[in-house]
Amino acid sequence: MEKPISLEKILFSQGFGTRRYCSDLVYADLVKVNGELAQDPEERITTDGLILNVDGKDWEYHEKAYIVFNKPVNYECSHKTTHHPSVYSLLPAPFVERGLQCVGRLDYDTTGLLLISDDGQFIHKMTTPKKNIGKVYEITTPDPITTSQIDHLLNGVVLDDDPKPCFASACKQLSENVLAMTIVEGRYHQVKRMMAAVGNHVAKLHRTQIGTYHMPSDLAEGQWRWLYADDLKQLSQSVDTLSGK
Ligand code: URA
């Protein structure tokens, strides 16, 4: 059983604003705790299975936030964007307030599976190159993909910023112009540069899988959902299996 914590602290931890502001939300009758109108911001409550309702919206309590997001095209994975709106603008404001970060970035024109969290250790574990986590990208090309291009990707291509070749760890041709390619590193524009290096081009890029975790098939573009213990276990197994732990 979790130790009880004051309601004000809980609201603050979830990203609802400063402690003073969270207190005021309670005094303004805008907070419910498991369906009951809260009266006292100092009330100590347990967080196990806690459902808050803040200003009419239900909010599951999560000590750390782990979410999966289906990224649409033309959004940047950055808080300070340059040319396009931020993916964070598509998420509830408390996520931004509590400092959620993308677990590895996708280009503004790449779509698909994006993990987002405020757990620094998790972000590090999922992004460090040492862990060799495979990421699967579905690549649509303007020109037909040839067997020799696939062989080249699997045998390794040298990109202009590093003499060390980078490899596709798996390639599966899905149609004449669509290739599912797995890579384990996360170099800058890696997939686009690898495709250019073998004489083709990326028209559309969509990430479908990280480790053994697939994008949920019912998660529409622009939508997010919480990751629960089973999802996190699966993600963590992807890391442990591949790094030989
Ligand atoms: N490789 C790219 O070129 N772009 C991405 O967004 C991800 C991988």
Side-chain angles (χ1 to χ4, degrees):
M1 189 61 133
E2 301 280 334
K3 207 167 146 228
I5 312 176
S6 80
L7 177 56
E8 174 208 73
K9 256 194 186 167
I10 289 177
L11 289 165
F12 172 72
S13 75
Q14 300 300 284
F16 286 103
T18 61
R19 297 211 18 197
R20 171 70 190 271
Y21 185 80
C22 291
S23 224
D24 287 347
L25 285 172
V26 178
Y27 289 129
D29 287 344
L30 291 171
V31 179
K32 287 184 187 161
V33 173
N34 297 324
E36 298 274 328
L37 190 64
Q39 312 279 353
D40 177 7
E42 294 303 326
E43 180 193 355
R44 297 178 82 78
I45 46 184
T46 50
T47 54
D48 272 351
L50 170 64
I51 307 284
L52 299 163
N53 181 290
V54 181
D55 201 8
K57 289 200 190 92
D58 279 346
W59 189 262
E60 281 177 35
Y61 172 86
H62 288 260
E63 187 183 351
K64 293 277 180 208
Y66 307 91
I67 66 165
V68 52
F69 179 65
N70 187 349
K71 181 191 173 296
V73 73
N74 290 337
Y75 283 86
E76 293 180 26
C77 289
S78 159
H79 284 284
K80 289 202 178 109
T81 59
T82 46
H83 298 295
H84 300 88
S86 164
V87 290
Y88 299 104
S89 68
L90 300 172
L91 301 175
F95 281 152
V96 179
E97 184 76 26
R98 70 190 271 188
L100 263 71
Q101 303 288 340
C102 294
V103 181
R105 294 182 178 190
L106 293 175
D107 296 337
Y108 82 93
D109 53 355
T110 302
T111 58
L113 178 57
L114 188 61
L115 305 177
I116 305 179
S117 177
D118 59 358
D119 179 347
Q121 274 188 350
F122 173 77
I123 297 175
H124 176 73
K125 186 163 138 176
M126 296 306 296
T127 50
T128 176
K130 286 190 207 133
K131 298 290 184 184
N132 285 335
I133 302 181
K135 280 134 330 224
V136 183
Y137 291 89
E138 223 170 82
I139 306 159
T140 307
T141 59
D143 301 321
I145 299 151
T146 64
T147 316
S148 85
Q149 287 172 357
I150 293 177
D151 287 345
H152 196 168
L153 292 165
L154 291 167
N155 291 328
V157 298
V158 174
L159 303 178
D160 48 15
D161 61 342
D162 192 342
K164 212 166 93 239
C166 53
F167 300 83
S169 50
C171 282
K172 186 173 174 199
Q173 189 152 10
L174 304 177
S175 70
E176 199 177 36
N177 292 67
V178 183
L179 177 71
M181 177 165 89
T182 309
I183 56 169
V184 295
E185 298 162 289
R187 295 201 215 167
Y188 182 66
H189 293 329
Q190 183 170 333
V191 173
K192 290 175 186 160
R193 293 196 296 149
M194 285 176 78
M195 292 309 286
V198 301
N200 209 319
H201 183 69
V202 174
K204 271 204 287 185
L205 189 57
H206 180 76
R207 185 157 68 186
T208 58
Q209 197 179 328
I210 296 177
T212 57
Y213 183 81
H214 291 256
M215 168 84 90
S217 57
D218 57 349
L219 189 64
E221 217 175 74
Q223 299 297 304
W224 67 275
R225 80 159 53 137
W226 294 105
L227 291 168
Y228 292 100
D230 281 354
D231 306 308
L232 293 172
K233 197 167 149 202
Q234 195 181 343
L235 280 163
S236 131
Q237 277 167 352
S238 307
V239 174
D240 296 342
T241 315
L242 286 161
S243 59
K245 277 197 196 152

